[in-house]
Every structure is written in structure tokens, then in C-alpha cells.
Amino acid sequence: MTIKGLIHSTESFGAVDGPGIRFLIFLKGCNMRCKYCHNADTWEFDGAEISGTDELLDKAERYRTYWRKTGGITVSGGEPLLQIDFLIELFSKAHERNINTVLDTSGQPFTRDEPFFGKFENLMQHTDLVMLDIKQINTNKHKNLTGFGNENILDAAKYLSGINKPVWIRHVLVPGITDNDEDLRKTREFLDTLGNVQKIEILPYHTLGADKWRKLGLKYPLENIEPPSEAQIINAKKILGII
């Protein structure tokens, strides 16, 4: 019997969430409460569309002609690892159909304890690329930003390096919160210890999610913070070795 997933939404033509053109699947549920989150409506599991893996893949394959050789499906959220059993079935069936799979995750649920770790190992056998968020290298600042420390997230990065799983690192640049030069240098030093990072992306902070917070009856925490300037973006890219 197929496992059902709790789906927030899908998008047919994602161009920035992995290689090529992607069919994007956003899952419901996230434990972190990032102050800049632009998908606050994905935090809770309620209000989800319930879908089976075959149904989703059938829907995705309608757009297969646009993928060419590099495209496929990307699963994001929310935090998709909170529905890891569904992910395993979805990605294994995707590989049976010769569909490229990308996991976009914050890594927050990662642990080497069972039963999660065995499931994660299984999932990685059917995952072609992991897009991993490194939100803040300083664990205390990370906890203030998200509600959680980052030790297990950095451990996830180390594990992925150990199995040589291709990874793209993403870092949201928020003025005054994640753009500190010392923190960026420490992030670069950490990434230099990994052997599997194919790409590092700076995602400039934006305020597009603020309205979602208000509609949910929540006070947006970064009300007075403006997006980074071009100079701030260039500075971060230089420190992280992107340019």
C-alpha cells in the first residue's frame, strides 16, 4: 500500500531549485521557526493535500519533455525529512522511472540515532543531489534565528561528505544576522573540510513572506530589516569563495 504524503503545493517549472527545469513538491511540516521564513504557511501539518507517490510522479511526468537531460523533481518544504518514509518511497519510485531527484533540506531532523539514520541512509541511495541550508555557523546565533542549534545539521553535512553525496550549499544573507564577516569566514572554513560541495549559493533575504506571517496572525520578526545591498552580497560571495 502506497504511503501518503502531506503536500503544501507543487510547481511545474522550477528553474533555481536544482539542475535544469524541476517539478517542485513542497511538503507540509517544519519544526524550525526561522525569523525570515517565507513559507510560514508550511510549518503546520494541517490543511495539507494528501497525495500518494504514484499520483505525484504521474503529475510530474506531464512536464518531462521540458526537463531534458538535467531536470527532474525537487522536494522542499517545510522540512521534507519530517516525512522521510514518504520521501523514500517517492524517490525510489522516481528512480524506477529514471527521474532525477533533489532533496532541499535544512537538515534539522538529522540524527545518527535509529530508526532515523537507517531511513536516511536508504533515502540517500535514491537521492541524486542534496541542497542543504547552512543558515548560521554559530550555534547560539542559529538557535536565536531558528529555535534550534546547528550541531546535527553540521553533522549531516559531514555525513554527506563521507558518502560523497553531491551537495549544493545555500546560505540566506540577512543583514545584521547572517552577514557577519567572521561567521562567513567560519562557514567557509567548515565547507573547506567537506569533499562533496559542488556549489555554494547566496540567497539574498527578501520580505516577500511577511504577508504570510500576518495572514497567519503572526508578528513578522524582521519587520525593520531591509534586503542586503549589492555590496553586501558581493562581500559575502568573496568570503565564501563564490567569486
Side-chain angles (χ1 to χ4, degrees), residues 12 21 52 75 98 105 119 123 133 146 159 169 183 193 206 228:
S12 305
I21 302 299
V75 179
N98 198 30
T105 178
K119 293 181 179 181
L123 176 63
D133 295 336
T146 72
Y159 169 75
I169 297 294
D183 292 336
T193 69
H206 59 73

Side-chain angles (χ1 to χ4, degrees), residues 113-165:
D113 294 338
E114 298 295 352
F116 179 90
F117 188 60
K119 293 181 179 181
F120 189 79
E121 289 181 303
N122 188 359
L123 176 63
M124 287 302 101
Q125 294 177 27
H126 307 288
T127 303
D128 295 307
L129 171 71
V130 176
M131 302 179 73
L132 181 65
D133 295 336
I134 301 293
K135 300 175 185 296
Q136 169 57 258
I137 197 69
N138 180 293
T139 191
N140 291 325
K141 293 180 181 179
H142 191 281
K143 187 171 184 178
N144 182 59
L145 177 64
T146 72
F148 291 83
N150 67 1
E151 292 88 352
N152 65 321
I153 296 169
L154 301 183
D155 189 37
K158 294 174 185 176
Y159 169 75
L160 293 170
S161 178
I163 64 172
N164 201 31
K165 179 62 61 179

Side-chain angles (χ1 to χ4, degrees), residues 9-52:
S9 59
T10 61
E11 293 182 14
S12 305
F13 295 95
V16 295
D17 296 280
I21 302 299
R22 319 291 304 180
F23 182 84
L24 308 180
I25 302 167
F26 296 91
L27 301 188
K28 290 278 278 180
C30 186
N31 291 333
M32 291 207 289
R33 294 294 181 264
C34 301
K35 292 181 177 179
Y36 56 72
C37 182
H38 62 276
N39 284 332
D41 52 337
T42 67
W43 288 349
E44 305 299 335
F45 287 106
D46 59 354
E49 174 187 341
I50 300 175
S51 177

